[in-house]
Amino acid sequence: MEIRTRRTLPVVVDETALAVWRVRIRMEDRPGALARIAIRMADLECNILGLTVLPVPGGVLDEIVIRPATGLTKDQLVTAIQAEGCECSCLAGVDMSSLVDASAAVLTAAGRAVDDPARRAEVLREVLTADLVTVVPLAEANPARVEGGHRAVFAVGEDSALVARRRWAPFVQLELARAEALLGLIERSRRNVSAPAAATCADGAAIVLREGKPADAEAVSAMHARCSSNTLFARYHTGMSRMPRRWLHRLLVPPRGMSLLAVCGREVVGLGQLIPGPAGEIAEVSLLVEDAWQRNGVGTALMARVAEIAAAGGCRRLVAVSLPGRDAIYRTALCAGLAPDPPEEEGLLRIDLHRAEPRVLSEL
């Protein structure tokens, strides 16, 4: 018996048919200019999928997303655009995400960046459709170096900057303004997180959590005077009967960091510190609660607020140092809704903030 096998022919996929192109066309801002381009593209059997108008000096820059006709080359499309007296400044392949409404895309990206400021560079690259966005020290950013519009610098914070680069087209002013607005929103959100907040203790007492200032030196000194030597030793790991005056300013305004006070009436009853490391992704946290307010929820409220502020600033992990065998700060982190690793033998505690669900405090 003869068996005949059927030969399967290879499937040939026309890449042009699946392509989506982004075309940037510079033209004079006069009636009918865009209509002529649309008619020309219709003649070439191009399907227009999206349109954005970007004002530029001396005219407009129309960004059109198209699905080209089968067999149409980029050179043929550029020639057709030039025949209408317009300039094709960019023609590049893109994915279907370019069809998302620009305003919706920016708002969605802003939400991600507010939730996690450490993703600012990633979100900025998406909003600018940049090839690359890097974080550099502000002193090395060199904002005057624009490389013909293909490079842009955005200052973030006091000592760092984001540098965006895009080869396929220069940045236009509208795009840069949109990026500045996005970064401004992220920064304002971060500042709002560090605004005063209210918390209720286990016994019903109300406290206010707010950033410490140099003017709080007397109240902080008085709190230390009310603390037992055992409480001070657990916090500072050294024997002391009172807080030296020369330490107070450093406690309230630590280098690169901040202090957070728990205040009831005019008295300071608790003190937290948050000191980010050089890279900003890891920060050290420390807490002190006077004896009469311990086991009342003050430390828990301080820890939850410090974690919230740290996460808003782009920090991904907190570390704390306690005396070996003492797990008070570990238990405090658990009560605050965080997810600390078990303390190490030498007393080091690590808290990954991406696994945290800190308690929600009421902002004032």
Side-chain angles (χ1 to χ4, degrees):
M1 182 176 66
E2 180 181 1
I3 300 176
R4 294 185 179 181
T5 58
R6 195 171 167 186
R7 191 168 147 195
T8 304
L9 297 176
V11 177
V12 179
V13 178
D14 188 331
E15 295 184 359
T16 306
L18 301 178
V20 177
W21 293 349
R22 184 202 311 272
V23 189
R24 285 199 166 184
I25 306 170
R26 190 183 183 102
M27 63 183 69
E28 294 183 11
D29 188 11
R30 64 174 189 269
L34 179 58
R36 289 196 300 275
I37 289 294
I39 292 171
R40 177 71 68 153
M41 288 189 173
D43 291 341
L44 294 173
E45 297 184 357
C46 295
N47 187 17
I48 296 178
L49 305 175
L51 169 67
T52 303
V53 179
L54 305 170
V56 295
V60 293
L61 190 67
D62 288 349
E63 180 177 285
I64 303 176
V65 179
I66 66 169
R67 190 184 300 281
T70 301
L72 181 69
T73 67
K74 292 181 179 180
D75 288 340
Q76 289 172 333
L77 181 59
V78 170
T79 300
I81 291 170
Q82 292 173 341
E84 295 296 335
C86 301
E87 175 190 350
C88 181
S89 62
C90 167
L91 202 169
V94 295
D95 57 35
M96 295 300 290
S97 64
S98 301
L99 301 179
V100 177
D101 174 71
S103 298
V106 171
L107 290 173
T108 301
R112 292 203 310 276
V114 167
D115 289 339
D116 185 0
R119 300 178 67 182
R120 281 181 303 193
E122 169 194 333
V123 167
L124 184 64
R125 184 183 63 79
E126 180 181 324
V127 168
L128 287 175
T129 55
D131 298 316
L132 180 68
V133 174
T134 54
V135 183
V136 301
L138 184 59
E140 302 174 10
N142 192 8
R145 180 183 157 200
V146 296
E147 298 178 2
H150 293 267
R151 182 180 187 271
V153 175
F154 305 89
V156 289
E158 297 180 355
D159 54 5
S160 61
L162 297 175
V163 178
R165 291 181 173 85
R166 190 171 72 186
R167 293 187 302 272
W168 60 268
F171 298 112
V172 300
Q173 190 57 43
L174 180 63
E175 293 174 310
L176 299 179
R178 186 184 296 154
E180 291 282 5
L182 172 66
L183 294 174
L185 173 63
I186 298 169
E187 177 62 19
R188 285 191 293 274
S189 172
R190 186 196 66 80
R191 287 199 297 264
N192 286 342
V193 168
S194 53
T200 303
C201 296
D203 64 359
I207 59 173
V208 173
L209 306 175
R210 63 170 177 82
E211 188 172 356
K213 303 293 183 184
D216 297 308
E218 290 296 332
V220 170
S221 178
M223 180 196 71
H224 281 78
R226 296 191 299 269
C227 290
S228 67
S229 58
N230 185 56
T231 293
L232 294 177
F233 185 77
R235 164 61 180 87
Y236 298 108
H237 307 168
T238 184
M240 58 167 52
S241 58
R242 62 183 180 84
M243 169 58 59
R245 301 286 299 182
R246 66 182 183 276
W247 286 14
L248 288 173
H249 181 79
R250 190 176 182 87
L251 274 175
L252 288 164
V253 190
R256 302 190 314 274
M258 65 167 292
S259 63
L260 186 69
L261 303 182
V263 181
C264 183
R266 296 185 177 181
E267 289 188 343
V268 174
V269 299
L271 168 68
Q273 273 193 324
L274 179 69
I275 304 178
E281 293 193 354
I282 300 176
E284 182 179 352
V285 60
S286 59
L287 302 177
L288 174 67
V289 178
E290 71 170 82
D291 295 59
W293 287 82
Q294 291 176 13
R295 297 179 177 82
N296 198 22
V298 176
T300 299
L302 282 170
M303 178 66 85
R305 192 61 170 173
V306 164
E308 192 176 13
I309 293 170
C315 183
R316 294 181 178 273
R317 173 179 290 181
L318 296 178
V319 295
V321 179
S322 60
L323 294 173
R326 300 201 182 189
D327 64 349
I329 197 163
Y330 173 73
R331 289 184 282 105
T332 299
L334 289 175
C335 292
L338 305 178
D341 295 331
E344 299 177 5
E345 290 185 5
E346 65 274 17
L348 182 65
L349 180 71
R350 305 175 191 272
I351 306 169
D352 287 330
L353 293 180
H354 70 274
R355 295 187 287 137
E357 295 183 5
R359 293 173 49 184
V360 178
L361 305 176
S362 300
E363 293 189 1
L364 298 178

